[in-house]
Amino acid sequence: MAFIFSTNKIPELESYSLQQRQQILTLAAHKLTAPEKFVLNLLKLFMLVPPFLFLAQLDGILFVVSLFGVLGVYFILLRPISLLFTRKYLSDAIKLYNKLA
C-alpha cells in the first residue's frame, strides 16, 4: 500500500479541479464512522505529544526552528493518513458531490 501525498495522485479524483477534490474529500471525511474518527484522532495525538514535549524544553531560536520542523513533519505525515482513511468513502462522496453540483 503506497502512501498518497497529493489528491491529484488519487485516480478517482484526477478529473476534478483542486477545489472540487477538496470538497469531495470533505464529504468523504464526513462519512467516517465514529471508531475511524477516534483512531484518526488518536494517531494525531500520538504524533503531536512527543514532539511538543520536546519543544517545551527548548529556548530561543532553537525552539522556533524546531517548531516549524515539527509542524512540517506533522502535516507531511497527516495528509497521507487522512487520505488513507477517507479513500474508501470516495465513491460515495463523488456520487453525492455530482448530485449536489
Side-chain angles (χ1 to χ4, degrees), residues 21-35:
R21 289 193 304 260
Q22 294 301 323
Q23 290 172 347
I24 292 170
L25 285 174
T26 301
L27 291 172
H30 286 296
K31 292 187 175 289
L32 288 173
T33 63

Side-chain angles (χ1 to χ4, degrees), residues 6 13 24 31 33 37 40 49 85 88 91 93 97:
S6 176
L13 298 177
I24 292 170
K31 292 187 175 289
T33 63
K37 289 179 185 178
L40 186 58
V49 169
F85 273 79
K88 63 181 164 181
S91 61
Y97 176 79

Side-chain angles (χ1 to χ4, degrees), residues 2-74:
F3 279 114
I4 298 174
F5 291 95
S6 176
T7 58
N8 59 358
K9 302 289 185 199
I10 299 175
E12 297 94 338
L13 298 177
E14 284 179 347
S15 62
Y16 296 98
S17 70
L18 177 63
Q19 182 181 11
Q20 292 170 327
R21 289 193 304 260
Q22 294 301 323
Q23 290 172 347
I24 292 170
L25 285 174
T26 301
L27 291 172
H30 286 296
K31 292 187 175 289
L32 288 173
T33 63
E36 290 170 331
K37 289 179 185 178
F38 179 71
V39 169
L40 186 58
N41 287 330
L42 275 180
L43 287 172
K44 289 178 191 178
L45 184 67
F46 288 141
M47 288 171 52
L48 283 175
V49 169
F52 280 101
L53 288 176
F54 169 74
L55 288 173
Q57 299 174 359
L58 297 179
D59 258 347
I61 192 72
L62 188 58
F63 171 77
V64 174
V65 172
S66 298
L67 178 66
F68 284 117
V70 165
L71 289 175
V73 169
Y74 172 74

